[in-house]
Amino acid sequence: MKPIRPNDMMLQVTIRIVAIIIFAFSFYLLLAGHNSPGGGFIGGLMTASAILVLYLAFDVKSISKALPINFEMVIGLGLLLALGTGIVSMILGFPFLTQFFDYFQFPVYGEVELTTALPFDIGIYMVVVGAVMAIILRIEEDDI
Amino acid sequence: MSNLIFMPIIVPFFIGALLMLFAKRHRLQRIISGAASIVVLAISIYLAAAAFQNGVITAEAGDWAAPFGIVLVADSFATLMVLLSSILSVACLFFAFTTISPEREKSYFYPFYLFLMVGVNGAFLTGDIFNLFVFFEVLLLASYGLIVHGGTKYQLRESFKYIVINVFSSALFIVAIAWIYSVTGTLNMAQISERVAAMDQTGAINIIAVMFFIVFALKGGLFPLYFWLPNSYWGPPAAIAALFGGLLTKVGIYAIIRMFTLIFYHEPLFTHKGLITVIAGLTMLFGVLGAVSQFDFKRILSYHIISQVGYMVMGLGIFTPLAVAGAIFYIAHHMVVKTGLFLFAGAAEKITGTSDIKQMGGLFKTHPALAWMFFITAISLAGIPPLSGFFSKFPIILSGFQEGQHIISAVALLVGLLTLISMMKIFGYAFWGEQKHGEAAAKLSIGKMLLPAAPLVVLTIVMGIVAEPVFNYSLQIAEQIMDPSIYIESVLKE
Amino acid sequence: MEIAMSIVIGIVFSVAVYMLLSRNIIRVVLGTLILSHGNHLLLITMSGLQRGAPPLLNFNEESYTDPLPQALVLTAIVIAFGVTAFLIVLVYRMYKEHELDDLEDLRGSIDE
């Protein structure tokens, strides 16, 4: 039996906008995570759901072409990044995972607090996105 | 110096993450993971020596002082366990190089393997009870990945049960942690010990103690919670089965010994002499009866894991320095010997193509080296002098009689006899008798496979012949862990 | 409030155990999921349900909440997420291989 391709133009048009909104919100959550609700895990789940929504509306092939990412590799990179921030503090002579933070002045944005927890959080973010997508694509791939 | 304690955790973690980036290049993966495991072994030897000379070493993650942050504690017991796990990981990894098919290697075998080491080493070293849970989960997730690795029908079916049981026990673990947090208000193991001592170990604390015992008994394969073990260890390839058989249950036993010497040591009549000793006796008996009734090489070995876990817990249950020292010596002996036996089972399966000993035979004629190495480790397991098995069982049973625990000591002796019987059964069926494998199989060279297992055989002989320094070392460890103030003072720096 | 929460946790645990004991593999997976929810509720309840500001120095509040259970719950959620994801993939693959979803049929025999 041939799979029926429904005419889902409405869905595709809406999803394009919705996906962008989810992406933006997920980045906000990632960056807000240090002192307010949010963080790498939540942000990563959000991003993964944004990508998933795209997969739902379009077919797998076209999205895989648009996002040619090996998600298992993303897990590895994220782990390396998260661990790397801990190791850097070790190389500098502090105990493993010691945090540093400072305030910087940026031209337009004003004063911003930058911490070493941010690269750690980005690492977690990448791990979560990679893991969710790898798992879902693994199930999805052998269905066809 | 103190940052070095993190190394047995960080090095495999970093290398494992790195190897995920080029999963398809299996030769490169072999070289890097082999080098990493040897580096970890070197570090753990250094750590064990340092902890032996300088006493307890601690490290605080993120520079947060002890009761507030996560602290890693390297006392002699923890470093000994890390050392043993590193030895096993090197042996099994090099065995895996020659036995695992490239297809399996390409689907993230080495990252899973290294993450398993992260979890195991972390669980040994951590001094924070929630961190212990986290490292247990790292270990379990990696073990889920490894036990289903390759995805045969049998593996998929049995690992589902393995995972569900472990998820359930992890849930109980969280419940126990939540309870102990609500009672003591802290998660640092040294501080919990202090507060439990100040509070009197009654009512609620006893319940929490039993809850922790149930959790770790499930992970360690104690009676009546061992039913998952033989079936799930039968499925995966020999290298993984050997690592699991030698290492994973012992993490649970380590946690039991740590909990019941550091925190819940105030009511030995109820916990140690009552609960733990009875469970130990039943575990030994039922484990060995299972082994005697089986005719499958790997299943016999799996049932022996259960019966021997009973010996370790029995040493804890008798709860004198001599008995605990015997238990620690027994853990060291068992980890080395059991891994070796599983590797030989893998080699025998490679030759004959089956793990049913009734369909094997004549291996002695065609592969004498394998037969001799198996023979030495098997009688060491059964406890024949002058090998390590005898010198580790002896103090446990001796102190059992000294303390008037006659029934459990008699059970232990009987179990030793039955162990010998089932080992001789394997030897009689698989190694003697007429040759049942073909000529091509008889000419199969297994030197490469035996090489990684050879150090384990040497180790059991050495631990038997020079038993005295090894035993003194474990006696020193036992005296250290039975005096919780040493641990508490070095963690809280009072 | 803690008493009400304890009753809820008890109900969640009993539902989870009931699901774990059923024969359908999907129900077992859902059982582990509900079990982890019960755990998280227990962790958050066990330190007492307080109201107050986050324990940071610059808030100048009267009462503060205990941050530790929240950190623990967050960690436990992440772990439960990972395990559940793995379990779902495993169940899917198992169903593909065996074409069975009844644990009674998945017992396996001794000699295989």
Side-chain angles (χ1 to χ4, degrees):
Chain A
M1 195 179 90
K2 272 190 179 174
I4 306 159
R5 279 199 59 86
N7 187 7
D8 44 9
M9 193 185 72
M10 282 303 282
L11 185 67
Q12 293 184 352
V13 171
T14 337
I15 289 294
R16 274 173 222 229
I17 300 162
V18 170
I20 290 170
I21 297 170
I22 304 177
F23 267 124
F25 187 56
S26 75
F27 286 126
Y28 166 75
L29 281 177
L30 168 67
L31 297 176
H34 189 48
N35 283 337
S36 23
F41 181 67
I42 310 293
L45 279 183
M46 273 286 198
T47 306
S49 66
I51 301 173
L52 270 184
V53 172
L54 289 176
Y55 272 106
L56 274 183
F58 302 87
D59 60 323
V60 178
K61 262 187 208 148
S62 50
I63 296 297
S64 300
K65 211 189 273 174
L67 284 171
I69 304 169
N70 178 357
F71 285 105
E72 279 142 7
M73 216 165 202
V74 174
I75 304 177
L77 282 175
L79 282 177
L80 282 182
L81 185 59
L83 202 63
T85 50
I87 291 176
V88 166
S89 59
M90 222 161 77
I91 292 168
L92 295 176
F94 296 94
F96 179 59
L97 282 175
T98 307
Q99 280 190 39
F100 307 97
F101 66 96
D102 204 355
Y103 295 89
F104 295 92
Q105 288 292 335
F106 281 97
V108 183
Y109 204 76
E111 195 183 62
V112 176
E113 183 198 9
L114 287 182
T115 71
T116 53
L118 184 64
F120 185 85
D121 245 3
I122 294 174
I124 302 296
Y125 172 86
M126 287 166 74
V127 173
V128 172
V129 174
V132 174
M133 293 315 294
I135 283 168
I136 289 169
L137 290 183
R138 177 65 62 90
I139 291 185
E140 199 277 336
E141 265 160 11
D142 38 273
D143 236 7
I144 307 161
Chain B
M1 175 62 221
S2 72
N3 261 336
L4 202 71
I5 305 178
F6 291 106
M7 280 308 180
I9 304 167
I10 296 176
V11 170
F13 199 163
F14 192 82
I15 301 297
L18 197 67
L19 290 181
M20 290 187 83
L21 300 183
F22 37 87
K24 302 293 170 230
R25 304 183 56 185
H26 64 277
R27 279 176 202 287
L28 192 62
Q29 294 224 338
R30 280 184 195 179
I31 296 166
I32 294 177
S33 57
S37 67
I38 289 172
V39 168
V40 174
L41 178 62
I43 293 168
S44 61
I45 291 172
Y46 180 78
L47 260 183
F52 181 69
Q53 282 167 352
N54 311 338
V56 185
I57 316 165
T58 60
E60 284 143 0
D63 217 2
W64 295 97
F68 308 110
I70 290 169
V71 61
L72 294 196
V73 187
D75 64 349
S76 302
F77 189 28
T79 49
L80 173 71
M81 297 301 284
V82 172
L83 175 61
L84 287 167
S85 79
S86 317
I87 294 172
L88 298 195
S89 83
V90 171
C92 293
L93 192 64
F94 279 83
F95 188 81
F97 291 161
T98 54
T99 51
I100 299 268
S101 63
E103 287 73 46
R104 286 192 173 183
E105 283 182 307
K106 280 174 191 163
S107 53
Y108 301 100
F109 174 75
Y110 296 113
F112 275 128
Y113 193 95
L114 291 166
F115 290 145
L116 185 79
M117 297 320 297
V118 174
V120 170
N121 290 342
F124 289 146
L125 286 173
T126 185
D128 181 284
I129 205 158
F130 194 78
N131 204 233
L132 181 70
F133 166 73
V134 172
F135 277 121
F136 256 101
E137 285 304 306
V138 172
L139 174 170
L140 287 172
L141 263 173
S143 79
Y144 302 158
L146 284 177
I147 208 161
V148 76
H149 205 266
T152 60
K153 257 179 142 174
Y154 181 90
Q155 272 177 300
L156 286 167
R157 195 183 69 214
E158 292 305 326
S159 39
F160 175 72
K161 299 166 193 170
Y162 172 80
I163 294 174
V164 170
I165 287 161
N166 274 306
V167 167
F168 186 71
S169 84
S170 299
L172 295 185
F173 199 168
I174 296 190
V175 172
I177 288 173
W179 285 350
I180 199 129
Y181 183 70
S182 77
V183 173
T184 62
T186 177
L187 292 169
N188 185 294
M189 271 148 71
Q191 210 177 10
I192 291 174
S193 167
E194 238 180 18
R195 296 200 176 163
V196 167
M199 243 187 286
D200 267 359
Q201 189 183 334
T202 51
I205 306 245
N206 271 335
I207 291 175
I208 297 169
V210 173
M211 193 73 172
F212 272 115
F213 185 71
I214 293 172
V215 170
F216 296 128
L218 235 167
K219 317 252 188 212
L222 289 177
F223 176 87
L225 306 168
Y226 59 73
F227 49 86
W228 54 271
L229 197 148
N231 277 340
S232 48
Y233 283 11
W234 190 85
I240 297 172
L243 189 70
F244 281 20
L247 203 50
L248 286 199
T249 49
K250 260 55 75 186
V251 185
I253 300 304
Y254 168 84
I256 289 180
I257 293 180
R258 182 62 91 200
M259 285 285 156
F260 283 87
T261 54
L262 179 64
I263 300 173
F264 306 114
Y265 60 91
H266 303 285
E267 290 277 338
L269 270 184
F270 169 63
T271 49
H272 294 77
K273 297 209 162 52
L275 181 70
I276 294 179
T277 316
V278 172
I279 296 282
L282 291 170
T283 310
M284 284 191 280
L285 202 59
F286 280 89
V288 86
L289 288 180
V292 169
S293 70
Q294 289 289 329
F295 280 95
D296 187 284
F297 207 146
K298 285 197 266 183
R299 282 214 170 85
I300 292 175
L301 294 180
S302 303
Y303 274 107
H304 274 304
I305 297 176
I306 298 163
S307 84
Q308 280 142 17
V309 156
Y311 276 104
M312 301 163 198
V313 181
M314 173 188 161
L316 175 69
I318 295 167
F319 207 50
T320 59
L322 186 66
V324 176
I328 291 163
F329 194 171
Y330 199 85
I331 292 177
H333 147 77
H334 171 89
M335 285 169 85
V336 168
V337 167
K338 184 56 75 181
T339 308
L341 285 174
F342 264 105
L343 293 181
F344 300 141
E349 194 180 358
K350 193 92 178 173
I351 297 165
T352 58
T354 174
S355 66
D356 184 353
I357 54 171
K358 280 181 177 167
Q359 290 168 25
M360 293 181 179
L363 279 173
F364 198 93
K365 217 182 296 170
T366 55
H367 297 89
L370 173 69
W372 277 112
M373 283 163 90
F374 175 82
F375 181 71
I376 292 170
T377 36
I379 62 169
S380 173
L381 189 80
I384 306 286
L387 296 164
S388 61
F390 173 76
F391 292 104
S392 51
K393 273 182 196 175
F394 182 64
I396 300 179
I397 296 173
L398 178 72
S399 54
F401 280 119
Q402 277 174 355
E403 289 290 301
Q405 306 259 13
H406 297 293
I407 301 173
I408 184 99
S409 310
V411 168
L413 287 172
L414 176 72
V415 169
L417 189 68
L418 291 173
T419 307
L420 187 62
I421 290 174
S422 72
M423 281 297 133
M424 285 306 109
K425 183 172 74 181
I426 297 181
F427 202 76
Y429 272 102
F431 290 91
W432 284 341
E434 55 186 280
Q435 187 179 332
K436 287 182 184 156
H437 46 277
E439 281 308 308
K443 289 204 177 66
L444 193 71
S445 156
I446 52 163
K448 259 188 180 170
M449 265 184 243
L450 292 183
L451 205 59
L456 302 176
V457 180
V458 174
L459 211 54
T460 181
I461 298 173
V462 169
M463 281 202 301
I465 291 171
V466 286
E468 196 185 339
V470 183
F471 184 73
N472 282 340
Y473 181 45
S474 23
L475 197 63
Q476 198 195 351
I477 294 174
E479 276 159 3
Q480 196 184 46
I481 62 172
M482 285 183 74
D483 182 6
S485 62
I486 299 173
Y487 188 97
I488 295 170
E489 273 161 24
S490 45
V491 172
L492 298 179
K493 309 221 167 51
E494 284 161 346
Chain C
M1 191 60 196
E2 277 86 359
I3 292 175
M5 279 299 278
S6 316
I7 294 167
V8 170
I9 294 163
I11 293 170
V12 171
F13 264 92
S14 48
V15 169
V17 170
Y18 178 76
M19 299 273 269
L20 276 177
L21 292 176
S22 66
R23 285 165 54 173
N24 187 301
I25 48 174
I26 293 297
R27 285 193 191 201
V28 173
V29 174
L30 290 178
T32 63
L33 202 61
I34 294 173
L35 194 65
S36 67
H37 291 332
N39 271 327
H40 304 153
L41 288 175
L42 183 71
L43 266 180
I44 213 78
T45 313
M46 265 302 171
S47 68
L49 298 164
Q50 312 120 319
R51 297 184 70 84
L56 296 173
L57 285 175
N58 52 359
F59 272 91
N60 294 323
E61 288 276 334
E62 291 278 305
S63 63
Y64 295 103
T65 49
D66 186 357
L68 202 57
Q70 306 185 10
L72 301 189
V73 164
L74 206 59
T75 317
I77 288 174
V78 173
I79 290 171
F81 162 77
V83 173
T84 310
F86 188 91
L87 199 53
I88 288 172
V89 175
L90 180 80
V91 163
Y92 173 75
R93 294 266 289 126
M94 190 167 91
Y95 182 71
K96 279 289 227 193
E97 287 281 326
H98 286 271
E99 308 242 317
L100 293 170
D101 65 348
D102 190 328
L103 280 169
E104 199 71 24
D105 302 330
L106 287 164
R107 282 168 82 161
S109 54
I110 301 163
D111 48 324
E112 52 188 325

